[in-house]
Amino acid sequence: MSDLFALASDFPSTDREEWLAAAHRVLLRGRPDATDEDAAAAFAKQLVTRTEDGFDLQPLYTAEDAPFARELPGSAPFVRSTRASPRAWEIRQRVWSAVDGSRPLTELEQGATGLLLELPSAVSGEMLARLLDGVLLDLAPVSLATPAEDVGFDAARALLASWEAASIAVDARLGSLGIDPIGTWARTGGLVDAEPAIDEAAQLIRELEVAAPRARAIVADGTVWHDAGATDGQELAWTLAGAVACVRGLTEAGVDLGRAFDSIEFRWAATADQFGTITKLRAARRLWARVVELAGGAPSPMCQHADVSRPMLTRYDPWVNALRSTVACFAAAVGGADAITVSPHDLLLEPGGSDLGRRIARNTQTVLMLESNLARVVDMAGGSWYVERRTDELAEVAWRQLQAVDGAGGLVAAVEAGSLREALDLAVAERAKATATRRRPLTGLTEFPNIEEPPPSPFVASDPAPEGTVFEPFTLRRHGEDVERLRGRSDAMEREIGRRPSVFLATLGGLAASTARATFAKNFFELAGIRTVEGPAAEFDSTVTTFACLCSSDAVYEEEAESAARSLRDAGVSRLYIAGRGVGVDEVDQEIGIGSDILAILNDLLDEAGAPR
């Protein structure tokens, strides 16, 4: 009877070398003279992915890649989890005081289990009391997002006053007061001095020992660096470096070392890179445990708040943002976040998001927690050779960067010296290049654009940095901004003259030969808001457009492309493209294909079409 359940017993065992040999045979099919170096090059090009942090993701992992036995969940260094048993995370929904009015109570009544308040710099106890009217403060944790302009001590003390006025038991006062001296200093370009802010934070921590011992005063906010364009490794390293600076400052101000560690909550960006987010949260716990160990502290679990990434959101096809946020939320939950914040999918179109957007954001978490049962498993990804290996490689990269920053005198010194900005700009440039060549696709923007959707409001450039900054502030850089500007030019042209630029897709050789590249070309031009009209070359009409693109297979191009190009020129084509690379047709102005720079090519087309900049 037992043999019935030996499901793999009839399959021969295979080791890594046999798999690699089989993979090489497939990759080198038709190349009998290929060398081992050729095989290795083909393998690396087609099957290996290089991360932004410089380590490779392999197509296959085995027990040899993670030959160690991980500790149990809940034990140091807390890679698997800070908890030994499953526990629901906090559904921490963001509330914008400037637009939301009575929204905090509504959020809690409709599924949130905690609040993240975006408050202005000048906040009074009366303002906060109105915002929290009706909220049961002994049941709902309240956390504060650090204001952009200052460190947020007024808001923190207003929250303490609200707890006191409501006679909340001190042990029931839960949440994060959002004080981030280093992050605020970075966001303001040095306008807010970090050192006196840390001293004031030390005083606040001493007050909390009596007033709210379970609340956390400090947030080490990794979204500062993520928003500005940092890689996962940079976000980890620089956030931990800022936390180390805070701990040093707090202990110098007289705060006990253990109390200093326990006063910090970490905020990480959760992205649609599912395994990147999972491993980032796991690696962060390991790194912080090592920091605590080296400082001589007792094992102190990291408290993690995952905030869904703002740079990955787009203004076009905003419904895709809901899909991105769902993946990010899932990854944060699997990665072991203690609290998760999901923003409305239409946040970039309406202040605070629409009611429907807020509902979808809340329900995303509720469904994952209560219907998908993610909260009933500890370290769901644990034991995966891929996850364990990627966790270790990311932790090693981040640790080396943390050591480099610490060796340079700490985070403040590294920022003032310009080394962090240099590394950040390099990462942003590499990511922008990947987006422009569509190696890093943005669904709904660079892939599968919906040209018929109503355009959002015209793109508004970021405000210039305020005067008096010591260095360039670290501010938000969204991944799709350059492409959105490109598409916004077509939107502006339609608003001004009632029509968009268009390109005629001249198909050659019938549907079987032309469909693939015609589909590619349609996507290529429409991502810039440029309409496409498809048909045989003889149907070109110069009264509709003077731009055309040849679309067919290489075999058809060899026979028909030259003559079709000449006939299109004679018919009035001013600029001629061809879908494909390395075709070599003399009459063609530009080849478009995988790896083409969409920003350079399409901006030139829009310039010639007369679209406004």
Side-chain angles (χ1 to χ4, degrees):
M1 179 66 71
S2 61
D3 290 340
L4 294 176
F5 297 96
L7 300 180
S9 61
D10 294 332
F11 294 92
S13 61
T14 302
D15 61 22
R16 184 199 293 263
E17 294 307 316
E18 290 176 307
W19 183 89
L20 287 173
H24 288 166
R25 286 195 296 272
V26 173
L27 292 171
L28 299 176
R29 183 172 296 167
R31 299 174 59 188
D33 299 329
T35 64
D36 290 343
E37 289 76 13
D38 293 333
F43 185 89
K45 181 178 180 179
Q46 297 187 48
L47 297 180
V48 176
T49 301
R50 173 60 61 97
T51 67
E52 291 182 332
D53 286 299
F55 60 89
D56 291 335
L57 303 180
Q58 301 295 331
L60 177 71
Y61 289 84
T62 69
E64 298 173 5
D65 297 297
F68 42 81
R70 282 289 190 205
E71 73 290 339
L72 293 174
S75 59
F78 308 107
V79 175
R80 299 201 58 194
S81 177
T82 59
R83 306 182 292 272
S85 57
R87 189 181 69 190
W89 67 86
E90 178 190 334
I91 301 176
R92 183 182 293 181
Q93 288 308 94
R94 182 179 270 104
V95 173
W96 290 263
S97 62
V99 298
D100 282 339
S102 60
R103 176 67 70 176
L105 182 59
T106 304
E107 292 284 349
L108 294 168
E109 289 176 338
Q110 296 183 0
T113 59
L115 299 172
L116 179 64
L117 304 183
E118 292 270 2
L119 299 172
S121 298
V123 60
S124 64
E126 293 78 11
M127 177 191 300
L128 189 59
R130 288 194 302 271
L131 196 63
L132 296 176
D133 184 35
V135 173
L136 301 178
L137 295 175
D138 53 344
L139 299 179
V142 177
S143 299
L144 305 178
T146 307
E149 300 83 6
D150 64 32
V151 182
F153 288 107
D154 290 344
R157 289 197 161 82
L159 179 56
L160 285 175
S162 295
W163 279 330
E164 191 67 30
S167 300
I168 304 300
V170 293
D171 285 342
R173 300 175 181 181
L174 303 177
S176 168
L177 301 187
I179 304 301
D180 184 16
I182 301 295
T184 306
W185 171 80
R187 275 199 172 112
T188 61
L191 290 178
V192 174
D193 195 343
E195 187 172 345
I198 292 175
D199 291 339
E200 189 171 351
Q203 176 57 39
L204 179 62
I205 290 171
R206 284 189 283 269
E207 294 175 25
L208 290 180
E209 290 181 13
V210 176
R214 297 179 63 191
R216 295 179 184 264
I218 307 293
V219 58
D221 192 354
T223 67
V224 173
W225 312 110
H226 172 81
D227 287 357
T231 66
D232 286 344
Q234 290 170 338
E235 180 187 348
L236 286 171
W238 300 345
T239 306
L240 292 170
V244 167
C246 279
V247 169
R248 285 172 174 159
L250 292 173
T251 54
E252 290 173 1
V255 176
D256 175 74
L257 179 63
R259 180 62 179 165
F261 283 129
D262 291 340
S263 296
I264 300 176
E265 177 181 84
F266 288 82
R267 183 176 298 148
W268 306 110
T271 74
D273 180 354
Q274 174 179 298
F275 288 105
T277 296
I278 292 171
T279 54
K280 179 165 65 176
L281 297 180
R282 298 173 94 247
R285 295 193 292 269
R286 175 184 174 185
L287 292 167
W288 188 238
R290 180 60 175 157
V291 169
V292 173
E293 179 185 13
L294 291 175
S300 176
M302 172 184 278
C303 181
Q304 294 181 314
H305 169 213
D307 194 0
V308 168
S309 168
R310 290 193 300 162
M312 75 176 183
L313 300 181
T314 61
R315 300 171 70 248
Y316 287 89
D317 207 349
W319 293 105
V320 182
N321 291 332
L323 303 181
R324 297 184 182 102
S325 297
T326 298
V327 175
C329 182
F330 172 86
V334 173
D338 300 286
I340 302 175
T341 298
V342 177
S343 297
H345 67 278
D346 51 4
L347 179 63
L348 299 179
L349 305 181
E350 183 175 338
S354 66
D355 287 343
L356 178 60
R358 303 293 285 269
R359 179 184 177 187
I360 291 174
R362 285 191 307 270
N363 288 353
T364 295
Q365 300 212 50
T366 302
V367 169
L368 289 172
M369 179 186 291
L370 301 179
E371 295 188 26
S372 300
N373 292 311
L374 295 190
R376 299 183 67 178
V377 182
V378 175
D379 191 27
M380 189 181 302
S384 160
W385 297 318
Y386 167 56
V387 169
E388 299 293 4
R389 182 65 176 173
R390 185 166 176 175
T391 297
D392 285 349
E393 290 183 318
L394 179 59
E396 289 167 4
V397 166
W399 186 254
R400 288 195 296 269
Q401 294 190 46
L402 174 58
Q403 288 179 311
V405 169
D406 202 54
L411 186 70
V412 171
V415 170
E416 291 177 340
S419 58
L420 258 66
R421 173 61 67 182
E422 183 179 347
L424 187 64
D425 287 346
L426 181 61
V428 170
E430 287 294 319
R431 189 179 298 116
K433 181 179 179 181
T435 300
T437 55
R438 298 200 293 177
R439 288 185 291 108
R440 184 187 179 95
L442 298 174
T443 303
L445 196 60
T446 65
E447 306 295 323
F448 312 109
N450 178 12
I451 197 171
E452 301 301 333
E453 70 172 310
S457 57
F459 188 89
V460 178
S462 302
D463 294 331
E467 296 182 1
T469 56
V470 180
F471 51 85
E472 181 185 350
F474 292 85
T475 54
L476 175 65
R477 298 181 184 181
R478 287 190 299 108
H479 301 159
E481 281 187 0
D482 290 339
V483 182
E484 289 178 351
R485 288 190 182 93
L486 182 71
R487 188 160 169 185
R489 296 185 64 190
S490 293
D491 294 341
M493 183 173 176
E494 186 173 44
R495 285 193 302 270
E496 291 182 8
I497 64 174
R499 62 176 177 83
R500 293 175 174 274
S502 61
V503 173
F504 180 77
L505 304 184
T507 56
L508 309 178
L511 289 175
S514 64
T515 296
R517 280 176 167 161
T519 301
F520 174 88
K522 176 180 174 66
N523 186 87
F524 185 92
F525 291 110
E526 289 191 353
L527 71 84
I530 300 168
R531 293 195 182 279
T532 57
V533 180
E534 184 176 332
E539 294 181 2
F540 173 76
D541 183 354
S542 61
T543 64
V544 176
T545 180
T546 61
F547 304 118
C549 179
L550 295 172
C551 302
S552 195
S553 64
D554 287 346
V556 174
Y557 283 154
E558 288 183 8
E559 297 181 0
E560 302 182 23
E562 290 285 0
S563 61
R566 284 193 296 270
S567 66
L568 287 168
R569 289 293 192 189
D570 292 341
V573 169
S574 64
R575 179 167 293 195
L576 182 61
Y577 301 87
I578 190 167
R581 304 289 295 275
V583 179
V585 179
D586 293 337
E587 291 285 342
V588 168
D589 296 304
Q590 182 81 56
E591 296 179 344
I592 61 170
I594 297 173
S596 295
D597 188 330
I598 58 175
L599 297 179
I601 294 172
L602 296 176
N603 267 316
D604 284 347
L605 188 157
L606 291 171
D607 286 343
E608 187 167 333
R613 276 279 184 177

